[in-house]
Amino acid sequence: MQKWSNGAKKRLTEIRAAEDGEQDMRAMAAAIGKLPHGQLKKILTEDIVAILAKYGVVIA
């Protein structure tokens, strides 16, 4: 039983770290979304634009 508890604690730590990363990405996406459109087109690739779209940042 002790091994399972240690494993569960480790997994909980991993889940919390992933949630923190998600919150950080949402904050970054919101900040990037505030940049002028011309600057975004110069620095972002299509892959990055697709990733930002997952977080609600739409670049026309």
Side-chain angles (χ1 to χ4, degrees), residues 22-60:
E22 177 188 359
Q23 291 173 356
D24 292 345
M25 278 301 299
R26 288 187 185 276
M28 288 174 51
I32 289 171
K34 293 178 185 176
L35 292 172
H37 178 68
Q39 285 182 347
L40 292 175
K41 283 188 111 177
K42 290 179 186 176
I43 61 171
L44 299 179
T45 63
E46 291 298 318
D47 295 339
I48 301 301
V49 171
I51 291 169
L52 289 173
K54 286 197 278 185
Y55 289 97
V57 177
V58 179
I59 300 169

